[in-house]
Structure formats: structure tokens, C-alpha cells
Amino acid sequence: MLLAFDIGNTKVSTAVFQDSSIIHRGKFPSRRSGTAIDYQQQIAEFLLSSKISLSTIEDVIFSSVVPELSVAFHKMAQNLIGKKAIQVSPDLNLGIRLDVDFPEKVGQDRIATAVAAYEMFHECVIVLDMGTATTIDLVSQDGIFQGGIICPGMGILSNVLTKNTSQLFQVPLEPPVHVIGKNTEDCLKSGIFFGYIGMIRSLIQQIITTLDESPVLVATGGIAAILKTHIPEIPHWIDDLLLTGLLNIYQKNRN
């Protein structure tokens, strides 16, 4: 079995793969102060909760946007299974080529989602990951990662707006009943929710106008579920896209 981790800025998502299927998944807080021992204990409890024996875990792979935790997870993998983890890197066999100025600086999460989307369709794809930050990346039909866009996530937009205004306050990240709000809460909901959607739709259209081919649009991320019906341009919403990308990369690089 394969143990996969996506180490993000706010949470660590994990999954156990048996062959190509996820048989158990979970999430932990992403704490920069967390040590290998801390996460080792959490993973042991995570496996125990599904009655998965540690002895059945053959390999560990992870992507990380938190360098401090990358070190901890390498140590954790060594402690748990007695061998090195695979960390997503441009130096691995990815099945796509990174045509950008500094391949080593591309977020490992962006690489994994791009790999997964391209593996699914083998066509020109625009991949959106809507998390703490929102990333939009382009892979050409011949598997060339062309680069992308990084912009604020909906939560960041909300936090910045309310943090810098004395009479505004946090509201749930959800659409109001009407676009024009009748009270401050609904006005905030509308501006944050529909403002974010407008940004995403505009960026997608601007990318498409630069292309000579019609792209497949694929989206994932923590807030994707509440956006599906509001961005009809995107036909494919895939919850486990990043984790699937980790599996794809593992399959291309396992010993």
C-alpha cells in the first residue's frame, strides 16, 4: 500500500492507496512547529482507525508547500517504514515537462494536480485548485506545463476585506439569496462570493483567448463544492485530483 500526503499551508491531506484506489483518507492541521514524532503519532492513529497495519505500507510520497514540514515528513517516513519518502520534484519522471523559468520553484501541489489532469485527458487542460490560494495552470496537448496564475483564495479575500475595515465582519463563504444585498452580511457575501467567481471566470477566458486549441477545464480544492453550479464553464470537478496526481507520480517513479 501507498501512503500519500499533500502538505498545504493550513492542512495536511492524506490517503492510503491500495493499487489505484483510496481506501482511507484524513486531514490534519498543518503546523510548522510540528515534528516528525508529532506526525508519526497522528499517522499511527490514522492507520489504526481504519485497521490498516503499518507493516502493509510499502512507500510514502508527498507534496509540500511548507519546507519546514518537508524535513519532518522525510524523517517520519524513515521512522515508519524504514525507507525514504518520494517528494514531488521536477527531477522526477512526471509524464509532463515544465516549460517555466524556474521549474524547481513551481509548487509541488501544482505539479501534482497538473500531472493528474493531464493523465486523465491527455489533452490541453486548464487546472484550477481552489484552496487557501487559487492556482490556475495550463498544460498543452503534448504534455508541456506552460505555467499559470496564482491569486487569492476566497477565504483570503474575505479575511483581507474584514481585517482592514472597522465596521465589517467575517461571513460564511456562501452565496447570498440575491446579488444585491439588503443588509451588511448579504452585501459582504455577495461581494466575496460573486467577486471571486467573476475573477475566476475572467482569468479562464483570458487564458483561452491565448490558445489555438480548446482546453479541458478541471477544478479541485476545498471550496470547489460550493462553486460548481456558479461556474458552468468548468465541466470536471474532481475532489481527489491532487492525491491522484501523487499516485500517478509514484507509479512512474517507484523502484
Side-chain angles (χ1 to χ4, degrees), residues 55-236:
S55 63
T56 64
I57 303 298
E58 300 171 282
D59 287 293
V60 173
I61 186 170
F62 69 86
S63 62
S64 173
V65 296
V66 186
E68 306 95 310
L69 289 184
S70 300
V71 175
F73 271 71
H74 274 297
K75 291 180 180 177
M76 181 201 69
Q78 190 71 44
N79 292 342
L80 285 177
I81 65 171
K83 61 194 294 190
K84 282 187 175 181
I86 298 172
Q87 183 173 1
V88 174
S89 161
D91 298 328
L92 297 176
N93 175 11
L94 301 172
I96 61 174
R97 181 170 66 84
L98 306 186
D99 183 18
V100 294
D101 293 337
F102 304 102
E104 71 280 1
K105 293 186 178 181
V106 177
Q108 296 166 27
D109 53 345
R110 294 172 63 194
I111 292 174
T113 53
V115 167
Y118 185 72
E119 284 286 325
M120 287 178 182
F121 297 99
H122 287 282
E123 295 182 41
C124 177
V125 291
I126 294 175
V127 191
L128 299 94
D129 189 351
M130 302 174 186
T132 305
T134 295
T135 60
I136 308 174
D137 292 307
L138 175 67
V139 183
S140 65
Q141 187 170 8
D142 53 355
I144 309 301
F145 181 94
Q146 304 283 358
I149 296 168
I150 301 173
C151 53
M154 193 187 296
I156 289 178
L157 291 175
S158 176
N159 290 339
V160 170
L161 177 62
T162 56
K163 182 179 179 180
N164 291 281
T165 48
S166 59
Q167 291 188 306
L168 299 182
F169 47 86
Q170 289 283 359
V171 294
L173 300 180
E174 61 187 23
V177 177
H178 302 289
V179 174
I180 300 298
K182 296 291 187 181
N183 54 69
T184 302
E185 180 173 347
D186 282 350
C187 289
L188 283 167
K189 285 182 178 180
S190 187
I192 294 165
F193 189 85
F194 291 117
Y196 178 79
I197 287 173
M199 176 182 71
I200 296 300
R201 296 182 74 176
S202 175
L203 291 172
I204 290 171
Q205 189 56 44
Q206 289 184 62
I207 294 172
I208 291 175
T209 59
T210 70
L211 303 177
D212 296 325
E213 51 193 335
S214 297
V216 177
L217 273 66
V218 184
T220 191
I223 64 168
I226 65 172
L227 298 172
K228 291 181 182 181
T229 60
H230 297 275
I231 313 180
E233 297 93 330
I234 304 175
H236 304 287

